[in-house]
Amino acid sequence: MSQPTSLPVMIPIPRRIPFAFPDDLNPQWKPGDPEFTAMVNGASLVMPYLEPFLIRTIREALPQVADPAVADSGRAFNTQEQHHYQAHRRFNELLKRSRYPELAQIEADMTASYARLSRRSLRTRMAYTAGFEAMTLGVTRWLVDYRQPLFGGADSRVASFILWHFVEECEHKCVAHDVYHALYGGGLVNYLVRAAGVLHGSLDVMWYSMRGYRAILKKEGLWYRLSSRLRLARRLGSFVRHVGPYLLRAMLPGHDPRQETNPRWVDDWIAGHATAAQDEPPLLDTQHPDIPVPFAPASAAAPAGLPA
């Protein structure tokens, strides 16, 4: 049984938001940017396989967590992740049904991969979980700070769904880290396992996301075009520049996700949702030059996104 932690613990708030993905939603949901669209669609493909694995891992770990606040945060984390993968599954079914049936083979490979991973030790699986969650902080920063060049002009339903997911990734940024440390504490071996988990969890998800966007760009006839590869390289370069430092910091001894500040836009979204009517999905105005949070006047939003 673990010892209670002295760290401040924030309990994330699960939000079941009824995002809908009707048949008239174009899988190329951002006109003129098929490479970024493919990157997001490829990452979405992974979520219904990754996130149930994270849920099972946290659920197995929680009976060993002595601190009731950490345990409560773990249960809230699981509910958030459940809402995430269920929404991604609906979106992915649209992608396969409307244009990309070949993505089903990648899904079959992920089913087998996560079944194998589920046979590893709990410590390895918790390190993978905490490692992936460290990557999402960098992804959130990239998507939020660069939201205008990335999502400007995009279908609001998809942009709103994706940014909701990453707002909540930022909100529960400490949970997997806290559960890992509640179970295993410090020491060189536990640090090395955790540091390896940063690479394991992050690179594994990136690999399957890459397989997804490659399949999509092949279907669109773009994968072998130099112009498309250059646009993709530009997007991937921006991604790596912003996510890489988060991964490096997460691998350092003594790293704590509390050291990473939230984007102002994320805090505004969370505060706005708490007081807003919740019977409809909070849709972003992707035509607005700043893409403000959907709950507050534009003047209250963060400064405009930077060019990618």
Side-chain angles (χ1 to χ4, degrees), residues 36-304:
F36 178 66
T37 300
M39 287 174 62
V40 173
N41 291 351
S44 178
L45 189 69
V46 185
M47 296 303 112
Y49 301 88
L50 165 71
E51 291 182 313
F53 167 81
L54 305 182
I55 291 169
R56 292 191 300 270
T57 300
I58 293 289
R59 184 182 296 135
E60 183 179 339
L62 288 183
Q64 303 178 46
V65 174
D67 190 315
V70 173
D72 286 346
S73 73
R75 285 185 283 270
F77 170 97
N78 279 356
T79 305
Q80 281 192 337
E81 296 288 47
Q82 178 183 353
H83 296 336
H84 296 170
Y85 85 75
Q86 289 172 342
H88 280 280
R89 180 177 289 160
R90 296 196 306 273
F91 180 65
N92 297 346
E93 289 303 313
L94 168 71
L95 297 179
K96 291 185 295 180
R97 183 174 65 249
S98 64
R99 188 157 180 81
Y100 309 114
E102 52 270 70
L103 296 178
Q105 180 56 56
I106 302 173
E107 291 181 318
D109 292 345
M110 286 190 288
T111 298
S113 177
Y114 280 106
R116 291 191 298 270
L117 185 57
S118 294
R119 296 192 287 269
R120 303 285 297 275
S121 71
L122 178 60
R123 183 169 65 174
T124 296
R125 287 180 280 130
M126 274 304 313
Y128 181 106
T129 300
F132 168 74
E133 293 296 324
M135 180 179 73
T136 65
L137 296 179
V139 178
T140 301
R141 175 65 71 174
W142 182 56
L143 295 177
V144 168
D145 284 357
Y146 288 70
R147 62 190 178 275
Q148 203 286 328
L150 294 176
F151 292 102
D155 188 306
S156 179
R157 294 167 292 186
V158 180
S160 304
F161 152 60
I162 296 298
L163 287 172
W164 155 71
H165 182 164
F166 281 92
V167 162
E168 293 194 345
E169 290 295 324
C170 199
E171 185 181 33
H172 68 223
K173 64 186 179 182
C174 297
V175 175
H177 172 274
D178 288 351
V179 173
Y180 182 88
H181 278 272
L183 266 61
Y184 305 111
L188 179 61
V189 172
N190 291 326
Y191 157 67
L192 292 174
V193 172
R194 181 185 65 78
V198 173
L199 294 178
H200 187 190
S202 301
L203 295 178
D204 202 32
V205 173
M206 289 181 195
W207 164 248
Y208 282 110
S209 299
M210 184 201 73
R211 287 188 59 186
Y213 71 64
R214 180 176 60 187
I216 290 169
L217 291 174
K218 283 183 176 180
K219 183 65 171 281
E220 299 296 335
L222 294 170
W223 183 249
Y224 298 108
R225 292 187 187 178
L226 178 60
S227 59
S228 179
R229 288 295 190 93
L230 291 174
R231 290 193 298 269
L232 178 63
R234 179 170 173 261
R235 289 296 191 212
L236 291 173
S238 178
F239 173 88
V240 170
R241 287 195 306 274
H242 290 84
V243 175
Y246 282 82
L247 297 185
L248 292 175
R249 289 195 294 272
M251 295 177 68
L252 294 174
H255 173 76
D256 189 324
R258 292 168 180 80
Q259 299 163 352
E260 307 287 1
T261 58
N262 292 351
R264 166 71 182 277
W265 194 93
V266 166
D267 290 338
D268 286 348
W269 194 105
I270 291 171
H273 184 271
T275 59
Q278 298 175 18
D279 52 345
E280 295 290 338
L283 296 180
L284 300 169
D285 180 1
T286 58
Q287 303 300 321
H288 191 285
D290 188 43
I291 312 184
V293 297
F295 311 108
S299 60

